[in-house]
Amino acid sequence: MGERGDGYNSAEMLKKNIISPGLCSGCGACVGYCPYIKCYGERVAVIHDCKITDGNCYRICPRASTNYDLLRRDTFGPIEFDLVLGNYEAIYFARATDESIRSRGQYGGVVTALSIFALETGILDCALMTGGNYTQAKPFIAADAGDMLACAGSKYTAAPNLSLFQEALKKGYQHIGVVGRPCQSTAARKMQQAAEIKGEKISLIIGLFCMGSFSPDFYQLIKDKKLDGYEKMDIPGDIKFARGNKETYLPFDEMREYVRDSCHICYDPLSELADLSVGSTEYDYGWNTLIMRTTKGSNLVKDAAARDVIELKEYPGDRLPLLKKAVFNKKKRVLERPDAKYLELSDQEKEFFLVTGGDI
Ligand SMILES: Cc1cc2nc3c(=O)[nH]c(=O)nc-3n(C[C@H](O)[C@H](O)[C@H](O)COP(=O)(O)OP(=O)(O)OC[C@H]3O[C@@H](n4cnc5c(N)ncnc54)[C@H](O)[C@@H]3O)c2cc1C
Ligand code: SF4
Ligand code: SF4
């Protein structure tokens, strides 16, 4: 295995160790790198017994062994990390200033506003995003503001956006953005740090918060329950479907069995390796929580705020312990699972979650 836990291996091993046991997160990263790996909707499959042992597919998979210590150091440099929230320069509440973006966005529309701003200022020439809607998500290469606006809104399934990376390269894009779930942010960072597979063409990673996504069977369920005629879906606790003033809820417990197996071993609810991480505020759904992680991400936010593209307000001090507690508990639960074998962490980090950090 390589130093970064990114050891080469074959597509056959990807099938045996990750896809067949149900550990695939549906990120899509491996798909673009190999003609024998295909996406069928949100299911990823190896269609030929490829035994090449230096396969990039295995190397970039976020469920193949993943050395977070080294990935963090490669991303942020040799600094002391916040083991719970990951590295960050600042954390804010934020929202798009443009009302038309806010009305299409999941919460404050910050992801859409910042992506469009990155495009308009030349940081990106396209971004791998998720189009469609909650009744059928669709990976999409968004190359103008209209495309990006059309991708606004969360689809709570595992759209394999990264499967489009090779297509974006073929189309000649040089500065490719990734907007994705934390598993996709990890895969994108693994890709980015492997220059020989053109990962350096990934210019910005905007990671979402994510506590879980639903399996493709979810689509049939919402059809069967006649919940496919709404405009928007959200998970403020139970599952909410809304159109105008009309709302209906599905108890989360009824949906628990639809959460992908891979999500139960996911150690990264906040896209720790992204340039910027964006989630809900958990109480004011017109705003986002925005975590500025890298200097590149922070500069983008500062420029966007200076030009009135987004509005920032102070992150309330009383929310930080709540966010930390939720993330701490998730990481602890994952470390307690015997099947979370892909994780390579320092003894100090494991001890923090399993032994000493209980007063977080
Ligand atoms: C599966 C999933 C689970 C989530 N769980 C949580 C959670 O537990 N807590 C929390 O605070 N936030 C969670 N989020 C993030 C939240 O739903 C919003 O995406 C985030 O707050 C950004 O809001 P926004 O208004 O800026 O988004 P918008 O401006 O509307 O932009 C949303 C962006 O998300 C992308 N996107 C949509 N669906 C997907 C998908 N399935 N995979 C990858 N990218 C996608 C779109 O391309 C779009 O660019 C989750 C998101 C997803 C997709
Ligand atoms: S997690 Fe991503 S890289 Fe790994 S097998 Fe699934 S789609 Fe491929
Ligand atoms: S919980 Fe983790 S594995 Fe599941 S979709 Fe979210 S980031 Fe990916």
Side-chain angles (χ1 to χ4, degrees), residues 24-56:
C24 169
S25 75
C27 75
C30 59
V31 177
Y33 282 100
C34 172
Y36 301 136
I37 308 179
K38 298 268 183 223
C39 284
Y40 298 97
E42 291 168 11
R43 290 189 170 90
V44 172
V46 177
I47 57 164
H48 178 75
D49 277 347
C50 165
K51 295 188 194 306
I52 293 172
T53 52
D54 58 354
N56 285 313

Side-chain angles (χ1 to χ4, degrees), residues 78-127:
I79 52 170
E80 192 75 12
F81 294 103
D82 180 323
L83 292 178
V84 182
L85 300 180
N87 184 56
Y88 66 98
E89 293 186 7
I91 176 165
Y92 285 103
F93 277 179
R95 66 176 183 181
T97 45
D98 184 334
E99 157 53 29
S100 67
I101 295 181
R102 285 210 304 273
S103 65
R104 300 279 289 275
Q106 184 66 16
Y107 301 123
V110 164
V111 170
T112 304
L114 287 177
S115 303
I116 293 173
F117 183 66
L119 196 71
E120 289 173 350
T121 49
I123 291 168
L124 298 180
D125 48 22
C126 78

Side-chain angles (χ1 to χ4, degrees), residues 68-81 85-89 189 193 271-277 291-297:
Y68 270 104
D69 293 331
L70 286 161
L71 283 166
R72 284 175 192 142
R73 259 184 276 152
D74 284 347
T75 306
F76 302 108
I79 52 170
E80 192 75 12
F81 294 103
L85 300 180
N87 184 56
Y88 66 98
E89 293 186 7
R189 211 48 107 181
Q193 288 166 3
S271 286
E272 267 186 55
L273 297 170
D275 293 297
L276 297 167
S277 302
I291 305 180
M292 292 146 72
R293 296 195 181 279
T294 60
T295 304
K296 184 187 253 181

Side-chain angles (χ1 to χ4, degrees), residues 261-273:
D261 287 345
S262 182
C263 301
H264 298 303
I265 56 164
C266 184
Y267 183 71
D268 178 20
L270 301 184
S271 286
E272 267 186 55
L273 297 170

Side-chain angles (χ1 to χ4, degrees), residues 13-30 42-45 57-58 60-66 158 181 183-184 187 190 213 215 259-267 334 337-343:
M13 296 306 281
L14 199 70
K15 181 171 157 186
K16 182 167 172 264
N17 295 342
I18 290 151
I19 300 173
S20 297
L23 303 181
C24 169
S25 75
C27 75
C30 59
E42 291 168 11
R43 290 189 170 90
V44 172
C57 57
Y58 210 89
I60 58 180
C61 172
R63 287 295 171 268
S65 59
T66 298
R181 308 178 304 278
C183 51
Q184 295 176 307
K190 285 186 171 191
S213 70
S215 72
V259 175
R260 287 177 82 103
D261 287 345
S262 182
C263 301
H264 298 303
I265 56 164
C266 184
Y267 183 71
V334 169
R337 289 180 64 108
D339 51 349
K341 291 194 190 98
Y342 72 101
L343 284 171

